[in-house]
Amino acid sequence: MRAVIVAAAVAFIISLFGTPVAIRVFTALKAGQPIRSIGLASNQGKKGTPTMGGVVFIVATVFAYVAGHIALTTLPERQIAQEGPTMTALVLLGLFVFCGAVGFFDDFLKVRRRNSDGLSAKGKLLGQAMVGGGFGVAALYVPSSDGQTVASEHISLIRDISWLDVGKIGAVLVIVFVIMAMSNGVNLTDGLDGLATGASILVLSAYALIGFWQYRHWCADDAYARVNEYCYQVRDPLEIAMIAAAAAGACVGFLWWNTSPARIFMGDVGSLGLGALIGGLAVATRTTLLSIMIGGLFVIITTTWVIQIVSFRTTGRRVFRMVPLHHHFELAGWSEVNIVVRFWIVAGVCVAVGLGLFYSDFLAVVG
C-alpha cells in the first residue's frame, strides 16, 4: 500500500505544480485550442485556452511510477513481488505515452494550422491501432520467468472466461479494439471543462483498488495461495495498482486547473492517452468485459455518438440535438457545471456497480 500511496502523492504534486508552468509555456508558444465555427456559441469564449495539458499528467505518472518503485525497496523482502520495470509497467506506460503521442501530433497540427482540423480520422485510428497492436503483442508474447503474460488469450469478465479462448491472434485483435474503443471514448467525453478528467479519476481509482485487491489475493504470493485456493492469475498486480493510482493522482492535480472555467485543456494528447491506459488496465487485470460498466460514462457517450451517426446517415434524422451527448444537454438549456457534475455522478454510479460486481465474485467463492 505504501508504494501505491507514494505514487499517487508524487503524481498529484508534480501535476498540481507543473500544470501552471505548462499553462505559461503553452500560452507563450500560442498553443491555444481552436474552436469549430459550427460548434456551440457558448464554446467560442474558450478559443485560445492553452491545450496539450495532458503532457503534464503523462509525465507526472511516469515519474510517480519511478517514485513508487523506490518506495518498494523499503518493504520487507516477502512483499516485493516484482522488481521493475516489469513488462506490465512497460505495456501500460507505453500505451499511455505512445497513444498520447498520437494525440500530441493531432493537437500540434490543430495549433499550427489555427483550426480544428488536425490529424485525419483515419490517421488517428491507424496510429491507435499500431500502438495497441504493438503493445498487445508484447503483452501476449513476452512471458515472465514463471510463464505469466500481461494479457490473456481468453476473453475476461472478472477473471478469464475459460471457454472463451480466442488464441493469441484473436487476443491481440481484442486488445486493439479495447484500446481504440476506450481511447476514443475518453476523447469524445472531453468536451466540457473537467468532464473527462473527473470521470477518468473515478475509473482510474477503481482500477487502483482492483489492482491492489488482486495483489493481496495473488496466486504468485505463496503465503496467500497456501491457505486459499481462490486467487487471481494476473501478472504484477502491484504494478497495475501503482500506475492506476499515479494516473489518478496526476489527474486530480490537473483538475485543479482544468475545472470550469478551465485554464488549460488536456487536448487529444491527454484524452487518447488516458483512454488507452484505461483499456490497458482492463486487459491487464482480466476485466475486459467489466470495463464496459466501470467506464460506463465513456461507453454511453460513445454509443450515443454511434446512434446519431447511423441514424443521420440512414434516415437523415438526428436522435439527439447534438453529439457528443453533453452538447445535447447544453442545447437543452443545462449549464456546463450542471452537466459536468451530473455526468460525474453517472460515472461514479457505473464505477460503484462495477466494483460491486468485482467484489461479489470474490464473495461468491469464499463465502
Side-chain angles (χ1 to χ4, degrees), residues 1 3-5 7-8 61 65 82 88 92 204-216 235-249 281 284-285:
M1 177 60 79
V4 176
I5 294 173
T61 301
Y65 167 75
Q82 61 276 317
T88 302
L92 294 178
L204 290 166
S205 298
Y207 274 111
L209 290 172
I210 288 173
F212 189 74
W213 183 263
Q214 290 179 332
Y215 170 65
R216 298 297 295 175
R235 180 172 175 178
D236 310 320
L238 188 57
E239 296 277 279
I240 296 170
M242 277 199 300
I243 292 171
L281 290 167
T285 55

Side-chain angles (χ1 to χ4, degrees), residues 330-351:
E330 277 192 289
L331 291 174
W334 291 23
S335 70
E336 180 173 0
V337 173
N338 276 340
I339 296 169
V340 170
V341 172
R342 288 168 180 170
F343 275 41
W344 283 353
I345 293 172
V346 172
V349 169
C350 290
V351 164

